Amino acid sequence: MYQFLVSFKVESDHRDDFVRAAKKTARDSLAHEPGSQRFEVIADEENPDVFYLNEVYADAAAFDTHAKGPYFGAFFAEASQYAEGPTWLMRGNLVPR
């Protein structure tokens, strides 16, 4: 399982836009990309302008498919207008038990 956590700093007047775009990407990716397993949009508890995307894929290849797909591209086309990021905070493969 390939997982990562990224952060974005969003202009204050576009927080709702960012959440809407990220949640749409999450819904579309989970519904139409078989390797997408989890896509969470998380608001920072101390800074309302910071958001995290916590994503899980079957493997790195499934993430590559996502990154080359239409939902990823549409999200970045919009979010890059008012958000800085992503800043990679964590990425890697789940260690088996």
Side-chain angles (χ1 to χ4, degrees):
M1 220 184 291
Y2 184 74
Q3 303 184 45
F4 66 84
L5 177 66
V6 295
S7 67
F8 289 85
K9 185 164 188 334
V10 179
E11 294 173 8
S12 297
D13 56 333
H14 287 283
R15 288 191 296 251
D16 290 342
D17 297 325
F18 181 85
V19 169
R20 179 192 44 75
K23 288 172 82 173
K24 179 179 181 350
T25 302
R27 278 190 311 273
D28 291 343
S29 297
L30 291 169
H32 303 291
E33 296 172 350
S36 295
Q37 297 182 350
R38 185 171 71 218
F39 194 125
E40 299 168 324
V41 181
I42 302 165
D44 188 273
E45 68 181 358
E46 294 181 8
N47 185 341
D49 295 335
V50 173
F51 292 89
Y52 305 98
L53 300 183
N54 184 32
E55 301 180 38
V56 176
Y57 296 87
D59 50 32
F63 170 68
D64 289 341
T65 298
H66 167 71
K68 293 174 185 168
Y71 314 117
F72 184 94
F75 170 75
F76 277 100
E78 178 178 339
S80 65
Q81 298 176 49
Y82 50 74
E84 295 175 23
T87 299
W88 290 88
L89 302 173
M90 179 278 298
R91 63 179 149 187
N93 291 292
L94 180 67
V95 176
R97 294 181 188 214

